[in-house]
C-alpha cells in the first residue's frame, strides 16, 4: 500500500509541476496584452474599451498567477504552511474551471475551432497568431491535466478518510427530502441542457448561438447533473457499497464547475446588461442568465460544504 501511495505522490508531483509550467506562457501572453493595449501597440477585444480590456485581462493574470501558485503549493514544502481550507478552495475553483471542459478544449484545439469569443465561455482575446493561440490552448490543456491529478493526490494525502471506505459504512444520513442545492443544481442543469439541444425559450439573440455555445451549454448542464447526483449520494450514503471516493470526486468536479464558470460568466453578463455595447451580445436573456449564474454559484458552494461535512462525519466514525 505504501508503495502505491508513493507512486501516486510522485505522479501528483509531476502533474503539479507540469501544470505550473504549462500555464506560464499564458500568464506572459496576458501581461503582453495588457501592456500592449495600454500603450496602443495591440488591439482590444470586440465589445471592450481600453479600460475594460485592461481590467478583464488583469483579472485573468491574477487567476493564472493564483493557479500557478496553487499547483506549486500542492508539492512544495512552503505549501505545507498554508492552511488546508483556502488551498483546497483555490484548487476546487481551478479544477472546476478546467477539468470538466478538458475534452472540449482538446477537441477544439485539434479541430482549430477555438474562436476566442466570450459569448461561448472561452477566453476573450483579439485576433491571435497561430503560435500564440497554440500556447494559450497548451496552457489550458496542460493546467487542466495537471489539476485532474495533482489535487486528488494532495487531498488523499492530507485527508485520507474522505476517500476511504464505501458509502453506507457508517456516518452518512438518509434524508427523505432532497437538499435544496441538489434541486437547484438539477434545475440549472436542465435549462442548460435544454439550450444545448436547441431550445429557444429564454434565448434573446438566436443568431448569436454558435457550435461552441451549444457544446458548452451541454457540458455545463451535464456537470450540474453530475454534481447534484454525486452530492445526493454522498449525503444519503446510497447506493450502499459504492466506493466513497467516487461521489466525492464527481461532486468536487461538478460543484467546482458550477461555481467557477458561473462566477466567471456573471460579470460578463452584468457588464453587457449595464454597458449594452452594440458589438457584443449573449444568446441568452441577460436577466435569466444572471439568475442562473447566481443559482449555480450558490448551489455549487453549498454542495462543497455538504461534501466537506460528509468528510468530517466519515472521519469521526
Amino acid at each position: 500500500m505504501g508503495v502505491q501511495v508513493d507512486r501516486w505522490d510522485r505522479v501528483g508531483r509531476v502533474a503539479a509541476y507540469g501544470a505550473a509550467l504549462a500555464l506560464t506562457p499564458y500568464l506572459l501572453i496576458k501581461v503582453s496584452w495588457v501592456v500592449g493595449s495600454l500603450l496602443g501597440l495591440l488591439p482590444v477585444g470586440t465589445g471592450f474599451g481600453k479600460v475594460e480590456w485592461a481590467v478583464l485581462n488583469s483579472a485573468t493574470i491574477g487567476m493564472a498567477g493564483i493557479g500557478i501558485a496553487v499547483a506549486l503549493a500542492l508539492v512544495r514544502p512552503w505549501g505545507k504552511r498554508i492552511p488546508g481550507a483556502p488551498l483546497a478552495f483555490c484548487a476546487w475553483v481551478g479544477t472546476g474551471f478546467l477539468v470538466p471542459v478538458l475534452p472540449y478544449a482538446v477537441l477544439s484545439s485539434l479541430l482549430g475551432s477555438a474562436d476566442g469569443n466570450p459569448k461561448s465561455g472561452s477566453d476573450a482575446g483579439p485576433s491571435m497568431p497561430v503560435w500564440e493561440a497554440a500556447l494559450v490552448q497548451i496552457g489550458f490543456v496542460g493546467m487542466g491535466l495537471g489539476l485532474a491529478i495533482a489535487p486528488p493526490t494532495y487531498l488523499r494525502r492530507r485527508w485520507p478518510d474522505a476517500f476511504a471506505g464505501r458509502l453506507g459504512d457508517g456516518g452518512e444520513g438518509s434524508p427523505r427530502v432532497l437538499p435544496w442545492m441538489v434541486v437547484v443544481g438539477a434545475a440549472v442543469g436542465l435549462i442548460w441542457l435544454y439550450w444545448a439541444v436547441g431550445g429557444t425559450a429564454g434565448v434573446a439573440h438566436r443568431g448569436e448561438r454558435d457550435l461552441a455555445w451549444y457544446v458548452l451549454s451541454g457540458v455545463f448542464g451535464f456537470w450540474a447533473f453530475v454534481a447534484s447526483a454525486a452530492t445526493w449520494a454522498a449525503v444519503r450514503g446510497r447506493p450502499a457499497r459504492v466506493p466513497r471516493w467516487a461521489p466525492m470526486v464527481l461532486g468536487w468536479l461538478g460543484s467546482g464547475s458550477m461555481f467557477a464558470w458561473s462566477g466567471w460568466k456573471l460579470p460578463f453578463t452584468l457588464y453587457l446588461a449595464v454597458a449594452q455595447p452594440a458589438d457584443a451580445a449573449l444568446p441568452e436573456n441577460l436577466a435569466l442568465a444572471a439568475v442562473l449564474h447566481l443559482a449555480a454559484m450558490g448551489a455549487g458552494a453549498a454542495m462543497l460544504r455538504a461534501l466537506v461535512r460528509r468528510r468530517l462525519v466519515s472521519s469521526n466514525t
Side-chain angles (χ1 to χ4, degrees):
M1 181 64 179
V3 174
Q4 183 179 6
V5 172
D6 290 343
R7 183 183 301 117
W8 276 111
D9 283 344
R10 287 196 295 270
V11 172
R13 291 177 67 86
V14 172
Y17 284 122
L21 181 62
L23 199 60
T24 299
Y26 172 83
L27 174 66
L28 297 177
I29 288 172
K30 283 309 190 91
V31 171
S32 72
W33 284 10
V34 172
V35 175
S37 62
L38 291 177
L39 296 179
L41 302 176
L42 292 176
V44 300
T46 302
F48 295 94
K50 183 178 293 187
V51 174
E52 292 90 345
W53 183 246
V55 170
L56 167 66
N57 285 286
S58 295
T60 59
I61 290 171
M63 293 168 62
I66 292 174
I68 293 172
V70 168
L72 294 176
L74 296 175
V75 292
R76 297 299 299 167
W78 54 264
K80 297 179 181 179
R81 298 192 293 270
I82 300 176
L87 181 57
F89 175 79
C90 291
W92 173 66
V93 173
T95 303
F97 256 125
L98 296 176
V99 176
V101 298
L102 193 57
Y104 167 79
V106 172
L107 288 176
S108 65
S109 299
L110 294 176
L111 298 176
S113 61
D115 57 9
N117 195 324
K119 72 186 177 185
S120 66
S122 59
D123 192 36
S127 298
M128 292 184 289
V130 175
W131 66 267
E132 195 172 72
L135 286 177
V136 169
Q137 290 298 325
I138 290 173
F140 284 145
V141 173
M143 190 67 176
L145 289 172
L147 289 178
I149 300 171
T153 60
Y154 169 84
L155 295 172
R156 183 186 181 191
R157 181 171 64 252
R158 191 153 187 173
W159 295 292
D161 291 337
F163 303 92
R166 299 178 181 273
L167 296 180
D169 284 350
E172 292 92 350
S174 298
R176 297 180 180 179
V177 180
L178 282 172
W180 69 267
M181 79 286 290
V182 172
V183 177
V184 172
V188 171
L190 182 62
I191 294 174
W192 284 336
L193 289 177
Y194 166 75
W195 284 339
V197 298
T200 57
V203 176
H205 302 94
R206 300 184 182 184
E208 296 295 322
R209 296 176 296 178
D210 58 12
L211 179 60
W213 182 83
Y214 283 112
V215 173
L216 288 174
S217 294
V219 169
F220 297 145
F222 168 78
W223 280 105
F225 269 104
V226 168
S228 299
T231 303
W232 180 227
V235 170
R236 292 183 66 241
R238 297 289 186 275
R241 311 312 299 166
V242 170
R244 185 177 284 124
W245 65 264
M248 294 294 292
V249 170
L250 293 176
W252 167 278
L253 286 174
S255 62
S257 174
M258 294 173 64
F259 183 88
W261 277 103
S262 286
W264 172 247
K265 295 167 79 172
L266 181 60
F268 278 115
T269 303
L270 297 178
Y271 167 78
L272 293 177
V274 173
Q276 297 182 346
D279 53 352
L282 290 175
E284 56 266 38
N285 176 275
L286 294 180
L288 176 58
V291 171
L292 288 177
H293 294 321
L294 285 171
M297 291 178 64
M303 288 177 186
L304 177 65
R305 182 173 182 270
L307 294 173
V308 170
R309 292 179 64 185
R310 286 303 97 202
R311 180 196 70 81
L312 294 175
V313 170
S314 299
S315 63
N316 291 326
T317 56

